[in-house]
Amino acid sequence: MERLNPDKLPQHVAIIMDGNGRWAKKRNLNRIAGHQKGIESVRDVVRTSRELGIKWLTLYAFSEENWRRPKYEIDTLMDLLNRYLKGELKEMLDNGIRLACIGQTEKLPQEVQRTLWQTIEKTAHNKEMTLILALSYGGRQEIVQSVRNMLEDIEKGKLTVKQITEERLSKYLYTAGIPYPDLLIRTSGEYRISNFLLWQMAYTEIFITPTLWPDFRRERYLEALLDYQKRERRFGYTGEQIIHPKQEKTQHK
Ligand code: FPP
């Protein structure tokens, strides 16, 4: 396999982890077995990202729409998430991984919220990589929430209408301070964004693979990164204007 160029790695990778159910169905197993196997892929991709020096990794672990699933599946997913967080704390601490989350996390079960915030607190000083879990996350809901917060600040006199710019709005999103994703990976072959990071992905490169999430391990991930490295990111410029492909200036602090 070709080698990755360490100077051209994405700074931020976002992943829609899809296909756990199909993976299980193909094997005559229940959907839960697919999610359990999917957690192994989560570990593999987190480890590989850290090894490569990718600074930000966002995983779409539970969407706002996922609340529509059968209660049993939701409960099991929450339990898996809780165990994953507890089980991974040592690895996060040993490897300088900071945990963060985006989404309406107040909707998560109390127990999961407790583990989540404890893990975020305990890993807050880590600097090598930030793992962001999108939980009860929806891109439209995020934009609505940020508009509400902006209007509240206007009411309080902290902000004026004229001061609303793209940069200012981005500071009201859950992802304030996080660079926009350079690469989106979606597994299991669906060509959809599914309400994920709508604002943030305006210029994100998209890689869609038919591989089902439980089968998406290190090798497949490296293939996606290699594919990304072959692309020319133009951000509206012409190819000639881009001598050295550079990343969009996305860090709004
Ligand atoms: C999509 O597969 C996957 C999910 C809805 C949840 C993703 C969750 C995990 C990988 C495990 C928990 C996560 C963490 C971070 C510990 P699907 O069920 O939609 O599959 P299908 O489309 O084939 O039915």
Side-chain angles (χ1 to χ4, degrees), residues 34-99:
H35 295 315
Q36 277 166 338
K37 204 72 186 170
I39 289 191
E40 292 176 28
S41 297
V42 170
R43 284 202 192 95
D44 219 44
V45 166
V46 170
R47 239 173 241 170
T48 306
S49 303
R50 170 65 186 86
E51 258 174 54
L52 293 172
I54 288 168
K55 288 288 177 191
W56 308 85
L57 174 67
T58 302
L59 301 178
Y60 206 179
F62 196 84
S63 73
E64 190 51 38
E65 290 71 27
N66 284 154
W67 291 115
R68 297 177 191 153
R69 295 198 173 195
K71 184 174 181 314
Y72 171 69
E73 184 171 344
I74 295 175
D75 289 349
T76 313
L77 273 170
M78 291 300 148
D79 186 48
L80 286 174
L81 175 66
N82 201 26
R83 283 165 200 249
Y84 167 82
L85 291 171
K86 288 189 170 163
E88 280 332 87
L89 178 63
K90 184 172 183 308
E91 173 140 354
M92 289 187 208
L93 292 173
D94 288 349
N95 291 288
I97 299 173
R98 174 168 77 118
L99 184 77

Side-chain angles (χ1 to χ4, degrees), residues 17-22 31 35 39 61 66 69 84 133 213:
M17 311 182 286
D18 197 11
N20 294 349
R22 273 161 282 177
R31 300 176 54 80
H35 295 315
I39 289 191
N66 284 154
R69 295 198 173 195
Y84 167 82
L133 297 182
W213 177 250

Side-chain angles (χ1 to χ4, degrees), residues 143-161:
I143 293 169
V144 168
Q145 190 56 49
S146 69
V147 169
R148 284 196 184 141
N149 292 345
M150 267 192 307
L151 290 175
E152 273 181 20
D153 278 356
I154 289 176
E155 273 177 3
K156 287 183 202 152
K158 285 189 188 168
L159 181 71
T160 65
V161 172

Side-chain angles (χ1 to χ4, degrees), residues 167 180 235 247-252:
E167 195 172 335
Y180 295 145
F235 305 112
Q247 285 169 332
E248 188 190 13
K249 189 179 165 292
T250 52
Q251 189 94 41
H252 298 312

